[in-house]
Amino acid sequence: MAQIFSPRSNVQAKVIIVATILLVCAGGWLTSAVWWSPYTTYVNVPFDQPVPFSHQHHVAGLGIDCRYCHTSVETSSFAGIPATETCMTCHSQLWTEALLLAPVRASLTSNTSLKWTRVYDLPDFAYFDHSIHVRKGVGCSTCHGRVDQMPITWKTQTLYMKWCLECHRAPQNYLRPQNEIYHMAWHPSKDQTALGRQLIAQNHIDTSGRLTNCSTCHR
Amino acid sequence: MNTNPSGAMHEYWRSLEERARTPEFERWLHAEFPAAAEEWVSEIHRRDFLRLMGASVALAGLGACTKQPLEKIAPYVKQPEQIVPGKPLHFATATTFVGYAQGIVVTSHEGRPTKIEGNPEHPASLGATTVWAQADVLDLYDPDRAQAITKAGQISTWDDFLPELNLALERQQQTGGSGLRILTQTITSPTLGRQLADFAKKFPNARWHQWDPMTRQNIHIATGSGEHIYNVAAASVIVSFNSDFLYLHPAALRYAREFASARQVRQVKGARMNRLYVAEPTPTITGASADHRIAVAARDIEMIAATLAQGLGLVEGIDPTLLADPIPKWIKAAARDLSANQGRSMVIAGETQPPAVHLLVQKINHHLGNIGRTILPGRQVVANPLDQTESVRALIRDMNNGAVDLLFIIGGNPVFDAPVDLAFATALGRAKLCVHHSLHTNETSLACHWHIPAAHFLESWSDALAFDGTPTIIQPLIDPLYAGVTAHELIEAVIRQPVRSAFEIVRESWRTAKPSLDFDFDWRRALNHGVVPQASEEAIAASIQTGQSRALNQSGLEILFRPDPNILDGRYANNSWLQEMPQPFTKICWDNAAIVSPQLAKQEALKTGDVVELEFRGKKIAAPVWIQPGQSENSVTLHFGNGRKEAGRVGRNVGFNAYELRTADALWFGEGLTLRKTGSKHEFATTQHHHAIEGRHMFRAGTLAQFSTDPNFASRMTEVPKRNETLYNPDEFKNAGYAWGMVIDLNACIGCNACTIACQAENNIPVVGKYQVSVGREMQWIRIDSYYNGSAEAPELNHQPVPCMHCEHAPCELVCPVGATVHDDEGLNLQVYNRCVGTRYCSNNCPYKVRRFNFFELNSKLSASEKLGKNPDVTVRSRGVMEKCTYCLQRINAARHVAELDHNRSIRDGEVMPACAQACPTEAIIFGDINNSNSRVSEFKRSPLNYGMLAELNTRPRTTYLAKLRNPNPELASL
Amino acid sequence: MNEAKIFGIAAEFETHEQLVRAAKNAYAHGFRKMDGYAPFPVDGLAEALGKKNRLPLFVLCGGVVSGLGGYFMEWFANVVSYPINIGGRPLHSWPAFIPITFELTVFGAALTAFVFSLGLSGLPKPYHPMFNLSEFERASQDRFFLCIEADDKRFEEESTRRFLESLAPLRIAEVPQ
Amino acid sequence: MSAGIIPPDEQVRTRLSPLGYPSNLLGPRVTYADVNESISSIVLCDRAPAQWWVGFAVAFALLMIFFLAVSWLLIRGIGIWGVNIPVAWGFAIVNFVWWIGIGHAGTFISAILLLMFQNWRTAINRLAEAMTLFAVACAGLMPLLHLGRPWVFFWLLPYPDTMGMWPQFRSPLVWDVFAVGTYFTVSILFWFLGLVPDLATIRDRARRVWQKKLYGFLALGWRNSADHWQRHQTAYLLLAGLATPLVLSVHSVVSLDFAVAQLPGWHSTIFPPYFVAGAIYSGFAMVLNIVIPVRKIYHLENLITERYLNNMANVMFATGLMVSYGYFIEAFMSWYSGDIFEQYMMTNRAFGPYGWIFWVLMLCNVLVPQTLWSRRIRCNPFPLFIVAFFVNVGMWIERFVIVVTSLHRDFIPSSWGSYAPTLWDWATLFGSVGLFLMLLFLFIRFLPMISISESRELVAEPAKANAL
């Protein structure tokens, strides 16, 4: 009988097999890559906002405290987005003509809200409470990053459940003293674990495992 | 194992056919393939279908791989003071039941009222709520509410209305308003009363008429205005003549609380219970709680009351032999019990009984020296109480004579619900100009020239009095969603213009009523507390006349008219929560029935679902039959309120209209009903169509006597595995912190459904509609099972609320493939919606069948306004996920945060209250930390009556029950 | 294709008994690099040709590794990675972990058996000199071949041919490279 | 040419064993060439017989219905089916168990009979294995479709996700995923490994270039060398050895879906063996339902002799009796347990709303198979076909009885309900049959449905072929 395939086909056959295996692995890797990429997580993706508000300018530049605008951060689950009024307390004196601030003035005159694009947006089935986190010693910059260095606000964390669990499983690595909560530049020192353990004790943080119960965040 | 010490006396069953195991019943019970379960949505066309097909494939493939869409967030322009975003506010106000105020506290999220709770400071609430109060919040967001002022159906405005009004009023000015009429429902609002007084001053010849289908006129006529106030707690013997004072009564919440408190038994030591005798024609919540209930025709009750009076030596010349057995026995026992408890007893008669009965009852109470002890004379609460039947009759006469030029109908729906023989609709046609003011556009609105949409009470300023005269100032929580106007503003427009706001009107009437040094302070305090401190008025001493009691006792069929237990006289017809609420005993929803007794059914060869033609006073309607144990032999009960033709998407064409038979001379009952089988059939949607208890021990009950001799009779009925009967380490998970648990006191539960609706409101539970209910897809998280015990003619009626048991060995958790239902460290059995893939295995393995599944997308199609009503603290579930009772996890977490923010203190006992427990009028549901031995729940669990449902399966339920106790009179062992 | 070099010399037989006998002789004669071809597995042929078979060992390893891996995964997920109270059952509820462990054992073993049985035979190999032989297609029907390959130490064209003829085959053919 | 190898005038004479059973596995005077020819011609011929086209058309129509039903399901949600609370599982699960069960016969024939050196597997094992694959494919779809949110089905698989979550390994449903997954993979490997030598045969018989290339590609260059045969045989044997415990485990695991739950009617220790027996029962019934027509259409009486039919009937009958025993012991145990819930379950099953279905089940699975006591029926294709069909229906009903009647009345009477399948339930059931037949017809057309190399073995050793 005559040969059906040429001698080369032996190599080709083996190549095909290896290729398919590689392809499958690559597929898996790609999915996870996309899943963790800014495309999906929006991490480090600045959004265009009605007003290009700069935390850098207001926090680092003018030294305004977080709580001046995010008033309910210590009392409510929601930290609070400043009302137009709050902006106008200063901007009725400063930059009154600035073109950038036109939407703010318009909002006040027309009595319609500014529509910001939400940067830190948890899914609706996850219930996060700012007040309790702040009280237990989780600082702003731990989740929100160095907003004092952000000319326009972006996300610094994926907000994936895995990420939440990192802290809920080992709070000691992230806690800070009450007086450091709003301190942007704060970062853990060498003896953080020791400090963390001490804060856990003094803030009555239950590390027996309740923090990783589904009911802690999902209702 | 399952040996029941008292098995003989406790053979529970739940429907008649079942007791008499007829072949028809078998067929009905065994309707293996109920009518067309086939499911296809017609409005989807071919092209859409293909498109959707494509989409669906994508959905199947990529559904999970879609990234979160960007969300906008809109801050306030001016931050309202007191509103902290994310923190709910609570306001005290009042809702009304047949005009009587019931104090409530409304929860508001960012200005949206989302939940109604009772006001503990209010005498008619004591912190509890009725189902209707719970459902009011849904009415507020009802997209079918009247949204604009209309003239002859055309949208118009207040400013177009006023000139036309004034034109008409000018003509009335000359005649002193001889052609001017106002028709209202029962009103307790002092402000409205004052306004109508001013109105009478301005138009001396005008008339103010009243019509309320649930009128309490019989009582007012008898007492000459004020209703007695009962101190139920103080009464150790209670006799009720067809009074549903635990459910359909302005003071029901208070009376229920007091009633239950006088029956509460936890330990043998000092165990005492009151004893309730009830004589009624059709089962009621009150009757179900009775120790001795007799089913008697409504028409015979007067005779029975008289006989009782005779037994106490108050009247003579009544021949008790006219009464069929066992009634005389019942009367004798009641009489003896009463006279043995002089001053510690009470006799009460229902508003459906004629004045004569009420007079007799007063006489008896006087004789027993109960007045001033268990019964206090009431104040006049209703503004201008009168015989409403005569009142509406007079109005109709005037209209027919063409004497009415200008008619205001403030609330209500007389075209639909006025006595049919008076022909209100035709008369209304003769009124020259009529203005209707109501929340919904109903049958009456269509017959009127003008319709003014009413502002919902959560949108308006007003005031109202409770049954005992305690005033509450009704304050708004939200600006009117639509062009709603309050009654105050409308009347104001009649008597003086420019019209002031309801706020000013109400405030002014209180300023004049209670002039004080610091009015603003009093006003604010009244608003905060939801009650106006009582100025001690002089109580109206009830006028005691001796009524001549006739011995009636005719034969033949009797027709009974009763308000629908869900939607009352029809005012809640468009409220889907109430429509889908399983009615007490029958568990019917989205429907009403002609309720007949087993004996009558036998005699007429009727089966549940048979459609019969009812003829009464020459009028005919067709109605489906429901055979109800405990119904008096010759009485046929019709619930009025359904059968609405004009009631929005929910209420239109639900059930049949019983008003079509209700005549002025038989408002509540009357003789001369004829009944004819038509041969056609009707499908009821019931949440419990299979009824046999099959000798099982879900529900356990005994008598006080039995309990005192054998305290553990209930817990002994089944054998529960010991904690350590396991191969595993029984303490693998020891629950160190809070251990949440619940006790349901079957002795206190009266089966009023308040928990069911409260849960629905709190937890964003969707409604599914009649068809889905009929195929077994209802969604309520806590259901009320009812069981009958004893004979079909005189059964005991029992209720058992069933929420999730939060088993420590939860069978559901073991089988979930993705860990969507798991335990937390405080013993809660969690359902994590966002993890659930919907295998429904958990439900199969749940012996209590308390899990509910979203077979379709039930929430995305809600109107914008309905979405406003959702509770933001609870996830709105999507299609394809399981859901169930969470012990109101959101409330536990809220309380925990409050406690921890408050110097890390621990949660106090009673600080967390699930919606069901909070709404419960009898405090039958107790929730708390069972690790804390001082908590109320621990105390209840220590009772020997405590037992776990199906605990023999070693599920270790965290929710347990206290067995029900009855306190029968030894004389009446048989009853 | 180089005319000069050949792959080997093949002898064609009528029955499988003849083939086995021939194989035995060839082996006794000292030939090692040779192979027999039959339309169905012939008992004893491989042995006669002195072939080794280490497949079972691989399969055993495959099964054990994936089985243990499976159990470890279950233990890790439940006890280490995210311990959750499931219906009050212990975190390490080993009886519940058995079924998956078993299934994965079978899975691993089966996969190795498949891959190695083909792999060790050098398959896939669409091209092979034997296909140059015109009658070879009857190897999948009713003919039995013995081919002594050119790179055998003892291979020497003339003597080998003579040896094969001594086995009384139907015919003898050179298999071109 | 699809015509068989025997001239029409000559009839197949059946040799009988002393016990009077048909004993020959091959027709008279069958040669190597006959075997090759008769089998490969079915694949290599240019036109399939008319019957094939008819069957194919029907299968295709049903398959389209399946797509329709599935799309509508994905659009609207699980509510289009008859499932409810308490009957939260319906047709989907019934179909799943049924299909999985059917699959078992294939593995049984090819693996267990191989280990027992039963040569009467030769002519049917390939077809049976193919049937296994397709049945398992149908089965695998069902649990996915019945999810409330099918698009997150992969949460049942262990993989590093963004939630840090894992499947709940105590749940029998997760065991299912692994059991069915393994079963499907192993079946494919086993099937393909067996196919390779035959693909080589086809390759060598093929005359058209595309056929040579196609089958040559699939044959992986198989050249019937001693080397290949040796490893092939070892691997085949090992796979058989692995598949045997596997096939027993798979239906045991499926049965645990029920046995692990505490529902009366499910919570029973007899389930695993009883399910496995039932699986093989229905599996053999399905093989017969396929083999009998195929044998007729393609004139394979000489390769699939009456002895095959007789033996298959015997196995079917034996397992049938085991299943009947299962029914009996279930009833006995529920009575003996003294547990009121169990006792009620049994009475309800037999005399409750769905009682009549239970009695139909008894008819199909217990009574009708009794006819198999007679050899005349066992060896007679047509009646045997009918009996097998009854068994297939019966086994589907059995699963319906187990799933639905147990669920619709469990512990608390207040939550008792009933179940009514909708149009879409039926569409899904028959649609999946369409999928199954579709795949089967394609297989018959394009791959050798009888193992050629093993048939050649029989020719080589007449002793084997006619051994008793």
Side-chain angles (χ1 to χ4, degrees), chain B residues 1-2 14 29-34 37-41 44 49 52-53 56-57 59-65 687-698 775-777 783 785 787 802 811 813-819 833-841 843-849 851-857 861 878-882 949-950 952-953 955, chain D residues 67-68 70-90 146-156 159 161 163 165-174 256-263 266 338-341 344-345 348 351-354 356-357 400 407-424:
Chain B
M1 180 170 166
N2 296 285
R14 276 212 259 116
L29 189 70
H30 301 172
E32 55 269 74
F33 293 159
E38 191 259 331
E39 170 71 40
W40 171 278
V41 171
I44 293 209
F49 181 74
L52 284 168
M53 242 172 110
S56 71
V57 177
L59 179 75
L62 313 164
C65 319
T687 57
Q688 291 178 2
H689 28 89
H690 299 275
H691 305 292
I693 190 76
E694 305 289 344
R696 303 174 182 191
H697 303 293
M698 271 68 72
V775 295
R777 293 171 180 177
R783 64 170 194 262
D785 296 350
Y787 299 89
V802 184
E813 294 177 7
L814 193 65
V815 296
C816 176
V818 292
Y833 313 120
N834 43 301
R835 178 68 176 173
C836 180
V837 298
T839 65
R840 307 186 295 291
Y841 200 174
S843 170
N844 289 348
N845 209 26
C846 172
Y848 309 95
K849 289 287 172 287
R851 295 178 150 262
R852 300 286 175 252
F853 189 71
N854 290 267
F855 286 93
F856 291 110
E857 178 57 63
K861 290 179 197 65
S878 76
R879 152 191 161 189
V881 306
M882 193 60 76
M949 190 202 252
L950 290 177
E952 61 266 37
L953 300 176
T955 51
Chain D
F67 285 145
L68 187 75
V70 170
S71 314
W72 189 235
L73 177 74
L74 294 171
I75 295 164
R76 288 273 294 149
I78 216 74
I80 67 168
W81 289 348
V83 284
N84 57 34
I85 308 292
V87 189
W89 283 2
H146 116 297
L147 291 179
R149 299 199 292 166
W151 49 91
V152 287
F153 72 93
F154 51 84
W155 285 353
L156 276 79
Y159 72 101
D161 60 13
M163 299 166 278
M165 291 290 292
W166 293 90
Q168 205 277 91
F169 290 111
R170 291 171 195 78
S171 166
L173 290 185
V174 178
L256 292 181
D257 288 348
F258 305 102
V260 163
Q262 60 181 1
L263 195 77
W266 285 13
D339 176 280
I340 55 166
F341 301 118
Y344 180 84
M345 177 278 296
N348 180 53
F351 308 106
Y354 298 94
W356 64 273
I357 300 183
F400 180 88
L407 277 172
H408 90 117
R409 292 187 177 181
D410 62 345
F411 294 95
I412 300 187
S414 72
S415 40
W416 285 357
S418 60
Y419 170 82
T422 67
L423 195 121
W424 297 109

Side-chain angles (χ1 to χ4, degrees), chain A residues 1 3 5 10 14 169 212, chain C residues 82 124 127-128 131 133-134:
Chain A
M1 68 184 274
Q3 289 284 358
F5 299 93
N10 289 353
K14 302 210 167 26
R169 282 184 174 137
T212 55
Chain C
Y82 204 147
Y127 174 89
H128 192 278
F131 293 128
L133 208 61
S134 53

Side-chain angles (χ1 to χ4, degrees), chain C residues 43-150:
Chain C
D43 296 345
L45 179 59
E47 292 70 10
L49 292 163
K51 306 276 181 196
K52 298 261 169 309
N53 181 9
R54 293 186 315 301
L55 189 56
L57 186 65
F58 289 111
V59 175
L60 177 66
C61 302
V64 171
V65 167
S66 99
L68 291 179
Y71 192 95
F72 172 79
M73 170 183 73
E74 297 181 85
W75 170 82
F76 175 79
N78 280 282
V79 180
V80 181
S81 169
Y82 204 147
I84 306 178
N85 174 351
I86 305 284
R89 306 307 194 276
L91 294 174
H92 182 202
S93 15
W94 62 268
F97 296 169
I98 298 304
I100 292 179
T101 311
F102 171 78
E103 300 298 341
L104 285 177
T105 314
V106 173
F107 182 81
L111 207 60
T112 1
F114 179 79
V115 171
F116 280 71
S117 70
L118 295 178
L120 293 173
S121 308
L123 298 178
K125 196 180 187 102
Y127 174 89
H128 192 278
M130 282 308 284
F131 293 128
N132 295 332
L133 208 61
S134 53
E135 314 86 337
F136 188 66
E137 69 180 36
R138 292 189 70 177
S140 63
Q141 180 164 317
D142 51 8
R143 282 291 185 270
F144 303 81
F145 295 84
L146 177 67
C147 175
I148 299 176
E149 288 156 29

Side-chain angles (χ1 to χ4, degrees), chain C residues 13 17-27 146 163 167:
Chain C
F13 300 92
E17 291 88 350
Q18 293 172 341
L19 174 60
V20 176
R21 212 177 307 112
K24 288 212 177 86
N25 286 338
Y27 192 83
L146 177 67
F163 167 73
L167 301 172

